[in-house]
Amino acid sequence: MKTLKLVGLLFLLANAALADLPTITKTTSSATGTTVRKITVSVTVINRGQNPTDPAAVVVTCSPSVRGTKEGNTLRDPLDVGKAIGPLQPGESQTVTMDTPYESRNSFTDRSGNFRAINIDPTGEKVVSISSKVLPAQKR
């Protein structure tokens, strides 16, 4: 009986490892508002496979161009923001938008690569690079 349960568990784990994840097609940032321009990051994913995808999580890493702290709890430190996405049917796409703690002096829409934030360091604007990835939901 224990062997049967172990085989069943291994089968489930093997199928989970082979499940398709959506592909990222675009990662952009935007800053809107009148006086305080909060920066958001949007990620578009698509299922390029022939089967529905498993639930997943989109994770965006924001990396400021300044040295962080040992404690890792300031805006100078790298920051991960994420959002769960449900299963996608073949050919289906989804865009998720995530808030960040960063602010901008200027408004902009759909900027890729990086942005400038004014609230990281009192000495002025700092560049923040963004990158994104899709992870299986259980690993987020």
Side-chain angles (χ1 to χ4, degrees):
M1 185 69 164
K2 288 183 180 180
T3 304
L4 184 59
K5 286 182 181 179
L6 181 59
V7 169
L9 180 60
L10 290 174
F11 178 74
L12 288 174
L13 290 174
N15 283 340
L18 297 175
D20 290 331
L21 292 174
T23 304
I24 294 173
T25 60
K26 182 169 74 166
T27 302
T28 61
S29 58
S30 299
T32 57
T34 52
T35 54
V36 175
R37 294 177 177 91
K38 297 297 262 176
I39 298 173
T40 59
V41 177
S42 297
V43 179
T44 302
V45 296
I46 189 169
N47 178 1
R48 296 185 195 268
Q50 296 179 355
N51 298 311
T53 62
D54 282 342
V58 174
V59 178
V60 175
T61 301
C62 302
S63 302
S65 62
V66 293
R67 182 175 286 185
T69 64
K70 289 181 181 177
E71 294 81 30
N73 60 356
T74 71
L75 289 180
R76 300 173 124 230
D77 298 301
L79 170 71
D80 286 341
V81 292
K83 196 171 256 188
I85 55 174
L88 297 177
Q89 296 302 315
E92 183 180 10
S93 66
Q94 181 179 356
T95 301
V96 293
T97 301
M98 295 162 267
D99 294 329
T100 72
Y102 304 110
E103 299 172 358
S104 175
R105 179 173 288 122
N106 304 309
S107 63
F108 53 89
T109 304
D110 293 336
R111 179 175 293 168
S112 61
N114 58 46
F115 56 82
R116 292 181 164 278
I118 59 172
N119 62 330
I120 294 174
D121 195 299
T123 61
E125 289 183 326
K126 298 299 175 192
V127 174
V128 178
S129 299
I130 57 174
S131 62
S132 57
K133 59 188 167 193
V134 178
L135 299 174
Q138 66 271 17
K139 289 190 177 182
R140 171 141 174 8

